[in-house]
Amino acid sequence: MSEIDTELGPTCEAVVKANQRITPPTSDEVRHLVLHVDDPAFRFLEGQTIGVVVPGPHAFGNKYHLRRYSVANARQLAAEEGVDVEILVRRCFYVDDVSGEQYPGVASNFLCDAAPGSRVTLSGPYRSAFRMPPGTNANLLMIGVGTGVAPFRGFIQHIYRQVGGWQGKVRLFYGARTGMELLYMNDQNADLANYYDEATFKAFQGVALRAHLGAEAGLARTLEEHAQEAWELVQEPNTYVYLAGLDRLSEALDRAMSRVAGSDEQWAEQKARLRAEDRWSELLYN
């Protein structure tokens, strides 16, 4: 067992099968990667995350760098020839608080620059707050911004491609800075449009009135426009709520839902009820 396996648990090797930019040059760079794992023991479920291990040495003497990414596709029912794992990666940079210098994010730049055929070390998959409810009658209310749409894409693929006959309502609220940053719903890659004909599926897309306001402003806009439908849905006893993306999106949701609920207190009570009944899940990051 390698030193990395000792610290992280079992790891496996993946080959970059595809690496495609799905936003235009004028927007932030977001890439869709397909990683192929030829290991019969590797399996994942919708909503899980995988770790990408970037070999070092890195700053502060770290021997490796680990970053987790949500799986963006449904499980494969037959995996005789290995498993494909799809992830969304936004090329990131950070600014040093002391020097003011900009540095590239380790994992995001490593993955964005990974050429097809190159090899990547993965850890996991890891348990996630996102779990598919049993049966086919549950309502799913999915709310996200940016690369937070990744686990919802996996859910939607599984529901309509593999389970079939889904009876519950499936609603996706998704915000972005611009129309071209509506990942999987833009002109570059609109594969979620494949499910618009499904009777139980609706997607509500919102873009910010001005790009500098951020993706949360786009989400707030579409939530404000369709808050009544979301409010009615969360009051049904078979509705499960999922939030994914930047942590600021929870503030946008609270504002919109408090307005339609009638008060902050009424929305807080409803949200507490969803949490208590294990029907509220969130995967938020800074």
Side-chain angles (χ1 to χ4, degrees):
M1 180 178 289
S2 70
E3 183 177 352
I4 292 177
D5 285 343
T6 301
E7 297 181 12
L8 299 179
T11 61
C12 63
E13 190 174 77
V15 176
V16 179
K17 191 173 178 180
N19 184 346
Q20 175 191 9
R21 179 168 182 157
I22 61 173
T23 54
T26 53
S27 298
D28 286 352
E29 182 178 359
V30 179
R31 305 189 75 90
H32 175 93
L33 277 77
V34 182
L35 309 175
H36 183 76
V37 181
D38 190 14
D39 182 345
F42 184 85
R43 295 289 185 274
F44 66 86
L45 298 175
E46 297 75 26
Q48 288 189 305
T49 60
I50 59 165
V52 174
V53 183
V54 185
H58 296 290
F60 310 111
N62 296 335
K63 297 176 182 178
Y64 63 87
H65 179 85
L66 175 70
R67 174 75 160 81
R68 292 190 186 185
Y69 292 90
S70 293
V71 177
N73 61 310
R75 74 192 80 168
Q76 290 164 258
L77 300 182
E80 296 177 358
E81 299 180 359
V83 176
D84 286 345
V85 185
E86 301 177 27
I87 59 174
L88 274 179
V89 180
R90 182 184 299 273
R91 190 184 291 273
C92 297
F93 297 88
Y94 70 93
V95 177
D96 186 276
D97 292 335
V98 177
S99 67
E101 293 187 50
Q102 178 176 273
Y103 296 94
V106 175
S108 70
N109 282 267
F110 171 76
L111 288 169
C112 285
D113 294 335
S118 59
R119 296 181 180 275
V120 177
T121 299
L122 303 182
S123 65
Y126 300 96
R127 283 190 65 183
S128 171
F130 291 171
R131 293 185 297 276
M132 182 71 68
T136 61
N137 294 315
N139 300 324
L140 307 184
L141 177 57
M142 301 173 288
I143 303 168
V145 294
T147 54
V149 78
F152 302 152
R153 180 177 183 259
F155 275 10
I156 293 166
Q157 284 185 354
H158 179 63
I159 286 169
Y160 294 116
R161 285 186 186 177
Q162 298 172 351
V163 176
W166 194 266
Q167 302 299 310
K169 300 170 187 173
V170 181
R171 301 292 182 264
L172 172 63
F173 284 82
Y174 183 63
R177 295 191 311 163
T178 68
M180 290 307 294
E181 291 187 11
L182 285 165
L183 306 178
Y184 299 121
M185 291 180 279
N186 60 33
D187 292 342
Q188 302 289 111
N189 184 330
D191 68 358
L192 285 183
N194 295 332
Y195 306 101
Y196 288 176
D197 290 337
E198 296 286 348
T200 56
F201 178 65
K202 286 185 184 178
F204 301 100
Q205 310 160 24
V207 298
L209 293 176
R210 295 179 178 83
H212 72 273
L213 295 176
E216 298 76 29
L219 177 67
R221 186 180 177 192
T222 193
L223 281 170
E224 289 289 343
E225 292 171 352
H226 304 283
Q228 186 62 42
E229 178 161 355
W231 173 243
E232 292 174 359
L233 201 62
V234 298
Q235 294 180 85
E236 296 185 19
N238 61 329
T239 293
Y240 291 74
V241 180
Y242 305 89
L243 273 71
L246 295 170
D247 54 10
R248 295 190 299 273
L249 83 83
S250 61
E251 299 174 8
L253 175 64
D254 286 343
R255 285 193 300 271
M257 297 303 288
S258 292
R259 179 186 61 79
V260 74
S263 68
D264 293 343
E265 292 74 20
Q266 283 185 278
W267 167 236
E269 288 177 8
Q270 181 59 39
K271 187 160 70 169
R273 187 176 301 113
L274 289 162
R275 289 182 184 276
E277 296 174 359
D278 200 24
R279 295 189 289 124
W280 179 284
S281 305
E282 56 187 46
L283 186 60
L284 304 175
Y285 50 87
N286 296 323

